[in-house]
Amino acid sequence: MSNTPDLFDAAPAGPASGLAAERVHELHRLLHHHAHRYYVLDAPEIPDAEYDRLFRELQALEAAHPQLLTPDSPTQRVGGKVLDGLTPVRHAVPMLSIDTETDTTELGAQRFDARVRRELGLGEGDPPVEYAAELKFDGLAINLRYERGVLVQAATRGDGETGEDVTQNIRTIGQIPLKLLDVEATVLEVRGEVYMRRDDFEALNARQREKIAGGARGEKTFINPRNTAAGAVRQLDPALVAQRPLSFFAYGLGEVQGWSVPATHSRLLDALLAMGLPVCAERVVTQGSAGLVAFHQAMGAKRDTLPFDIDGVVYKVNSLQLQQQLGFKTREPRWAVAHKYPAQEMLTTVQAIEVQVGRTGKLTPVAKLAPVFVGGVTVTNATLHNEDEARRKDVRVGDTVIVRRAGDVIPEVVAVLPEKRQPGAEVFTMPRICPVCGSAAVREEDEADYRCTGGLYCSAQRKQALLHFAQRRAVEIEGLGEKLVDQLVDGGVVNTLPDLYRLGLTALASLERMADKSAQNVIDALEASKQTTLPRFLFGLGIRHVGESTAKALARHFGQLDAIMDASEDQLLQVPDVGPIVAQSIHTFFQQAHNREVVEQLRACGVRWEEGEPSPAAQLPLAGKTVVLTGTLPTLSREQAKEMLEAAGAKVAGSVSKKTDYVVAGAEAGSKLDKARELGVAVLNQDGLLRLLAGGQP
Ligand code: IVH
């Protein structure tokens, strides 16, 4: 449905072709509608990339037929509209927009540098321009006005000239100082982005899904962190805002009085940081286009592991004096550009809805998609989570849907475009029998998921159990991947875990597409996997609710497998992190004769580990303490810190509550740090953590 030049360009000069006029009219209608959904209601119906495509189509038509360009065209307005109910605020200094480079290759950076050099009158022999490169946060622009260091007003960007007063809402964001440290400025307007961290967003949606599963009416899951953050900031009720974990990064200035602003953008950000404002550490000062390209690539590679969404990077000429010399176009500065990354939300169509069976028998509806490039990879599957979610979103085969893939989260269908639905599309229903083995699928009370009751009779569960056991974090059998497991189970060669160790070279080599050499590699990998550790073995058994950290805690507490197998529920409850549900699950697992049999056979096949001395948690230095980790520590990875804490008997939790004893906060700590401060929980840095682990005062 793109602009078809041959049709329109063939129109005679003079009055525009009727077709072009019609399309322009339609694009006005569509863009006005979608801009309203996006800016005013914070509830877009189409992905940004689709909006941009329509916008560019209109721009192209207007360029080809200037007589069709009218003052009310969506291309003639930038930014949003003011929402009824919030008080308008006129910005002392307009809040500008920024030029965007949508070419996601290095060309984007090179073009910007070339333009800056040309406008500064620099020739080939002149030195490279110095740039400040930073991230383009995907949230909502906010102007914070501080008078004599005190936050007096917060406003949205609105149309750039007039925004909305959201002071009360912004005050609920713990990261935003209500008072700045040491400021000379009588007036200091700080500009930046309010956003929501991905983990905060996922946790919020998980809570929403639980509420919905529990029968709550009028609740919904949120589409993405950006809209959730924007919607929260523009809420009329600050109490509701406080329930949405928001974060903030400063990136610039508005009006300033009584302060001599540093000479470069990077120094300015350093100064804002020193005043107590959050500034993202992911920024560099660099020279010329090569430096920009390097930053774009480095951040592109890091994008998935950042704790928040970015939709690109921003390059700014570092010298404020050169910025002034370059000046502005109508709405954008000439000294800055946003260089995009591939969109994290795209439109595609649902070709089928399949139901997959997991290791624990959980049935997950998965949409099979027409391949689509989203978040930097080609996606063909997206989760619909469970029956309630699939029903609530009402995804049907043939539908056009928005797919989101951000970070390392599994791609998901976030919404359907109902107007694109084909007549006769059928409502999705969850099968009442397992699609793999035909056993009954049941949904337990208070549970959102259906489970296949087939257990190890179900080949899907058998396959998943083998893959779980063989994975790197369990006993690690290199080369035992999905394809091989499919062949082994479907061929009836392997049914249980011990069967793996009974595989002979001939049996393996006789499998289709298996060369002798690869068969020998599998045999070697199986042999190597026999020497393992108790936590890996325990985790590998796939006991429900026993993840890696619980397996470690069990091994530490009991020292030996037999002690775990024979432990009562009460004894299991002594282990840190083991509550009644987990204790019951472990106990039941080892009460079943067939599970004990599997363990015995594995031992008989030569699977072994070093057994240790029991070190009951109660005797460890941090026994009974709950610790939450947030942000990036200077030298320890989160995994390392967690491991050290658990070894000392502490429980490492995911969220901060009154029961938390310590929060260990590193760089870019988000809402968990705010929550800790709010509840008066002790906050440690890495040094404090190490002192605590050494048995001293933190
Ligand atoms: S500077 C005069 N820096 O991108 C330049 N903007 O249209 C003003 N944004 O919604 C913007 N990250 O909120 C700048 N590091 C960053 C940014 C950033 C995100 C947003 C901004 C606005 C849009 C620019």
Side-chain angles (χ1 to χ4, degrees):
M1 200 182 59
S2 70
N3 177 11
T4 44
D6 44 10
L7 240 181
F8 296 134
D9 290 352
S17 89
L19 269 180
E22 227 170 78
R23 181 68 186 147
V24 164
H25 186 72
E26 175 64 6
L27 286 168
H28 277 204
R29 191 188 67 74
L30 284 169
L31 287 164
H32 279 307
H33 171 77
H34 291 302
H36 180 76
R37 300 284 316 183
Y38 182 92
Y39 289 110
V40 182
L41 306 179
D42 293 313
E45 291 166 340
I46 55 172
D48 291 3
E50 180 67 10
Y51 182 86
D52 292 346
R53 205 186 56 71
L54 294 171
F55 195 88
R56 283 196 302 272
E57 185 186 343
L58 179 59
Q59 277 178 324
L61 278 173
E62 287 173 347
H65 310 281
Q67 64 279 38
L68 294 178
L69 174 58
T70 54
D72 67 342
S73 165
T75 60
Q76 301 308 295
R77 193 187 56 181
V78 170
K81 243 196 196 160
V82 173
L83 183 72
D84 290 342
L86 292 170
T87 316
V89 173
R90 189 141 182 100
H91 296 300
V93 175
M95 285 182 81
L96 297 170
S97 158
I98 194 167
D99 228 10
T100 306
E101 256 305 342
T102 46
D103 184 327
T104 58
T105 71
E106 57 192 32
L107 268 178
Q110 289 161 350
R111 258 205 299 260
F112 172 64
D113 179 57
R115 200 168 70 224
V116 167
R117 293 184 70 83
R118 192 171 60 244
E119 277 159 6
L120 290 174
L122 297 175
E124 277 193 21
D126 292 310
V129 175
E130 181 171 278
Y131 295 103
E134 56 200 44
L135 302 179
K136 186 167 190 297
F137 315 109
D138 205 5
L140 183 72
I142 291 288
N143 184 64
L144 304 173
R145 185 176 174 90
Y146 288 91
E147 291 180 1
R148 303 197 181 280
V150 175
L151 179 68
V152 295
Q153 188 178 63
T156 63
R157 172 158 170 257
D159 64 4
E161 302 288 331
T162 306
E164 303 141 322
D165 187 331
V166 288
T167 315
Q168 293 302 53
N169 293 349
I170 291 298
R171 279 189 215 276
T172 67
I173 304 176
Q175 280 190 341
I176 296 185
L178 299 180
K179 192 169 189 322
L180 297 176
L181 308 168
D182 307 316
V183 276
E184 312 157 13
T186 44
V187 172
L188 181 68
E189 288 188 351
V190 177
R191 289 179 177 171
E193 200 88 349
V194 169
Y195 67 97
M196 186 176 280
R197 289 170 55 102
R198 241 163 6 220
D199 55 358
D200 286 335
F201 173 75
E202 296 299 333
L204 175 66
N205 261 354
R207 283 201 297 281
Q208 291 301 106
R209 276 196 285 275
E210 259 170 42
K211 281 195 209 169
I212 296 164
R217 292 182 163 269
E219 297 287 350
K220 53 163 194 166
T221 48
F222 296 94
I223 292 197
N224 59 37
R226 197 217 82 89
N227 294 116
T228 317
V233 168
R234 300 166 77 232
Q235 271 282 345
L236 294 176
D237 177 4
L240 273 180
V241 188
Q243 295 167 16
R244 305 267 180 271
L246 298 172
S247 301
F248 179 79
F249 279 132
Y251 57 62
L253 293 179
E255 190 188 6
V256 179
Q257 286 178 29
W259 186 46
S260 51
V261 177
T264 62
H265 181 74
S266 57
R267 287 275 144 101
L268 162 66
L269 294 188
D270 296 341
L272 295 179
L273 186 65
M275 290 177 198
L277 286 152
V279 173
C280 182
E282 225 55 85
R283 58 187 169 109
V284 298
V285 173
T286 191
Q287 319 290 326
S289 73
L292 300 180
V293 169
F295 185 74
H296 187 259
Q297 285 173 352
M299 291 304 119
K302 223 175 164 181
R303 185 185 190 193
D304 277 355
T305 57
L306 290 171
F308 44 81
D309 281 0
I310 57 171
D311 56 351
V313 289
V314 179
Y315 311 136
K316 297 172 182 175
V317 171
N318 201 22
S319 153
L320 297 204
Q321 198 230 316
L322 288 184
Q323 287 189 2
Q324 223 170 16
Q325 195 180 324
L326 284 160
F328 300 90
K329 290 188 276 183
T330 340
R331 290 182 188 86
E332 301 110 17
R334 288 201 187 86
W335 44 263
V337 80
H339 191 189
K340 294 278 225 172
Y341 287 124
Q344 289 176 319
E345 281 174 23
M346 291 297 273
L347 287 187
T348 187
T349 53
V350 176
Q351 296 175 327
I353 300 177
E354 277 183 8
V355 176
Q356 293 182 350
V357 188
R359 177 172 58 83
T360 57
K362 179 182 158 184
L363 268 46
T364 304
V366 174
K368 297 278 160 185
L369 307 170
V372 58
F373 190 66
V374 49
V377 302
T378 301
V379 166
T380 52
N381 287 333
T383 181
L384 295 168
H385 294 285
N386 54 44
E387 182 180 47
D388 293 337
E389 275 288 288
R391 279 270 181 87
R392 203 183 47 71
K393 286 176 186 157
D394 190 16
V395 182
R396 306 187 193 183
V397 176
D399 277 357
T400 300
V401 294
I402 302 177
V403 184
R404 173 176 156 86
R405 193 201 83 98
D408 43 17
V409 182
I410 311 167
E412 65 174 340
V413 167
V414 291
V416 171
L417 267 56
E419 67 278 10
K420 298 229 167 153
R421 173 161 292 158
Q422 305 298 319
E426 272 178 46
V427 177
F428 168 75
T429 51
M430 200 70 172
R432 297 296 185 265
I433 58 165
C434 170
V436 175
C437 72
S439 303
V442 296
R443 180 174 173 171
E444 271 158 40
E445 225 178 300
D446 296 337
E447 278 233 19
D449 300 314
Y450 276 87
R451 280 176 203 281
C452 161
T453 53
L456 290 182
Y457 167 74
C458 176
S459 68
Q461 290 182 63
R462 250 177 4 239
K463 288 176 184 175
Q464 294 298 326
L466 292 168
L467 287 169
H468 179 80
F469 185 74
Q471 70 176 296
R472 199 168 44 80
R473 287 150 53 212
V475 304
E476 185 167 23
I477 308 173
E478 223 182 299
L480 192 76
E482 234 167 88
K483 287 223 175 72
L484 182 53
V485 166
D486 280 350
Q487 276 182 300
L488 292 170
V489 173
D490 294 341
V493 188
V494 168
N495 281 309
T496 66
L497 294 179
D499 287 349
L500 283 173
Y501 292 101
R502 297 184 191 118
L503 278 172
L505 197 56
T506 7
L508 272 169
S510 68
L511 294 175
E512 223 175 294
R513 286 185 305 275
M514 172 74 83
D516 289 355
K517 174 96 178 26
S518 333
Q520 186 58 50
N521 286 346
V522 175
I523 297 283
D524 293 347
L526 279 161
E527 196 50 43
S529 74
K530 288 182 183 171
Q531 179 67 51
T532 184
T533 65
L534 181 52
R536 282 170 171 268
F537 181 78
L538 264 179
F539 170 61
L541 289 178
I543 306 166
R544 207 163 157 212
H545 303 303
V546 177
E548 268 179 295
S549 73
T550 307
K552 281 185 199 150
L554 286 165
R556 216 176 285 124
H557 183 90
F558 290 100
Q560 310 191 344
L561 181 62
D562 290 326
I564 301 171
M565 289 173 63
D566 294 334
S568 67
E569 281 185 39
D570 277 345
Q571 286 168 327
L572 288 163
L573 280 169
Q574 304 302 309
V575 181
D577 223 7
V578 172
I581 295 177
V582 184
Q584 193 194 24
S585 161
I586 299 167
H587 185 70
T588 317
F589 183 91
F590 286 119
Q591 283 308 296
Q592 319 234 351
H594 63 96
N595 288 335
R596 295 181 84 97
E597 182 64 29
V598 162
V599 170
E600 284 327 312
Q601 287 182 14
L602 284 169
R603 285 207 264 214
C605 291
V607 178
R608 61 197 180 269
W609 54 87
E610 245 172 74
E611 304 237 65
E613 286 304 310
S615 50
Q619 292 161 19
L620 294 172
L622 296 183
K625 301 284 183 209
T626 303
V627 183
V628 173
L629 296 167
T630 176
T632 316
L633 296 174
T635 59
L636 290 176
S637 74
R638 186 171 290 220
E639 258 324 294
Q640 287 168 323
K642 185 166 182 240
E643 201 142 308
M644 289 161 84
L645 281 162
E646 285 172 350
K651 176 179 166 188
V652 178
S655 61
V656 181
S657 73
K658 276 184 264 170
K659 291 189 197 137
T660 311
D661 295 286
Y662 302 103
V663 167
V664 179
E668 247 119 72
S671 60
K672 290 176 191 166
L673 180 55
D674 302 339
K675 187 85 194 255
R677 296 212 171 108
E678 192 186 309
L679 296 173
V681 173
V683 176
L684 311 181
N685 57 15
Q686 178 172 304
D687 288 344
L689 167 67
L690 294 174
R691 279 193 296 275
L692 183 70
L693 288 165
Q697 282 300 311

